[in-house]
Amino acid sequence: MVSVQDVREAVQGNPGEVVVVRGSVIDVRFPGRIPLIHTRLTAPDSSGVQVEVLAHLDHETVRGIALTPTQGLARGSVLIDTGEPFTVPTGNCLLGRMLNVFGETIDGRGNAECGEKRPVHRRPPPLRELETSSEILETGIKVIDVLSPLERGGKTGLFGGAGVGKTVLITEMIHNMVRVHEGVSIFCGIGERCREAEELYREMEKSGVLAKTVMILSQMNEPPGARFLVGHAALTIA
Ligand SMILES: Nc1ncnc2c1ncn2[C@@H]1O[C@H](COP(=O)(O)OP(=O)(O)O)[C@@H](O)[C@H]1O
Ligand SMILES: [Mg+2]
């Protein structure tokens, strides 16, 4: 196993030593300099482990959540402080693409190396830049527009058991946004079954709205850390 000392000599970085691995929750000690909250830590080897720092436990130990499986990671393993947060690509080139939490394309159609890469944690826009008037967003679905209209720029929740039609309704709204409002849609799937996104992707392709949609997914087979961060990644793209 490589030690912190070996790695310090090999890389120009800030290596830390894993002190606790509790499933996806990793504590790492950085004797040199403690990484900031929301910093990305990576493994120096090919294991591909990526951790986001979420708390400072003491003056040299951080607690983070892994976005990847942590098999093989043990006490004494080395993680490098990259000094930067997780970022995702942004821009129009993502339209029609399907991404994972790291902003990598997973639709088998090549890379989407484009646009500005933005950190997934950002300050909210200042209050004075927000629109204060409220306006109805017409969805074109009569029962929603009449009984429970949506606010433009607002948030709406849709709750229901499995198989009652939530995804079908969302697909219909994506369709109307593209066709009627000439807008774009971002679909973020968190903890869904793999086949659900696959079906949605094919359905959107068939109805011709895929070119105006971005899908970003972290599904039920992915670690909790990835599912935790994918919503932030989707908002950043939005
Ligand atoms: N408005 C509807 N009219 C007829 N069938 C529907 C309607 N909405 C949903 N369904 C049927 O129910 C199934 C499950 O819907 P879905 O939206 O996938 O459920 P979930 O709420 O779990 O996302 C769909 O495959 C479709 O066959
Ligand atoms: Mg569904």
Side-chain angles (χ1 to χ4, degrees):
M1 195 187 295
V2 280
S3 75
V4 171
Q5 213 54 47
D6 298 340
V7 175
R8 182 167 297 139
E9 275 153 28
V11 297
Q12 293 293 327
N14 180 22
E17 183 181 7
V18 174
V19 284
V20 177
V21 180
R22 222 181 277 112
S24 280
V25 180
I26 318 280
D27 293 356
V28 194
R29 199 170 66 84
F30 285 87
R33 170 168 46 85
I34 194 165
L36 298 176
I37 304 280
H38 293 156
T39 302
R40 179 170 66 95
L41 312 177
T42 59
D45 49 32
S46 60
S47 67
V49 173
Q50 307 241 31
V51 175
E52 180 179 64
V53 175
L54 286 177
H56 288 161
L57 299 184
D58 59 38
H59 68 286
E60 54 181 23
T61 316
V62 300
R63 177 163 291 168
I65 294 191
L67 276 73
T68 54
T70 52
Q71 279 103 329
L73 205 66
R75 199 141 40 126
S77 300
V78 172
L79 288 177
I80 312 276
D81 165 19
T82 61
E84 51 188 42
F86 278 93
T87 56
V88 283
T90 55
N92 286 341
C93 56
L94 297 178
L95 290 170
R97 306 304 303 266
M98 198 197 268
L99 311 167
N100 66 10
V101 63
F102 302 112
E104 299 160 349
T105 52
I106 50 171
D107 51 10
R109 294 185 184 177
N111 278 344
E113 275 308 322
C114 62
E116 184 195 347
K117 280 205 152 196
R118 288 195 184 180
V120 296
H121 299 282
R122 284 155 55 90
R123 294 191 157 280
L127 208 54
R128 64 191 144 78
E129 280 179 21
L130 299 182
E131 191 72 54
T132 48
S133 64
S134 58
E135 201 184 322
I136 286 178
L137 176 73
E138 247 182 75
T139 62
I141 300 166
K142 223 180 276 174
V143 67
I144 295 180
D145 291 345
V146 173
L147 296 180
S148 166
L150 306 188
E151 188 190 351
R152 191 179 280 272
K155 305 178 188 76
T156 300
L158 178 60
F159 301 90
V164 297
K166 302 182 296 295
T167 306
V168 168
L169 197 56
I170 289 170
T171 315
E172 185 64 22
M173 283 178 58
I174 291 176
H175 185 262
N176 291 355
M177 285 309 126
V178 172
R179 283 289 141 81
V180 183
H181 295 277
E182 292 174 359
V184 296
S185 294
I186 301 209
F187 180 92
C188 174
I190 306 179
E192 288 200 299
R193 294 178 190 87
C194 298
R195 68 159 177 83
E196 295 192 287
E198 205 274 333
E199 279 169 14
L200 188 66
Y201 181 78
R202 270 192 291 168
E203 224 159 80
M204 294 206 284
E205 197 170 33
K206 210 167 65 187
S207 60
V209 299
L210 185 64
K212 291 281 181 192
T213 308
V214 183
M215 292 178 77
I216 174 158
L217 308 161
S218 191
Q219 302 191 289
M220 55 164 55
N221 60 326
E222 291 181 55
R227 286 181 266 147
F228 178 71
L229 208 64
V230 74
H232 293 273
L235 283 176
T236 305
I237 294 174

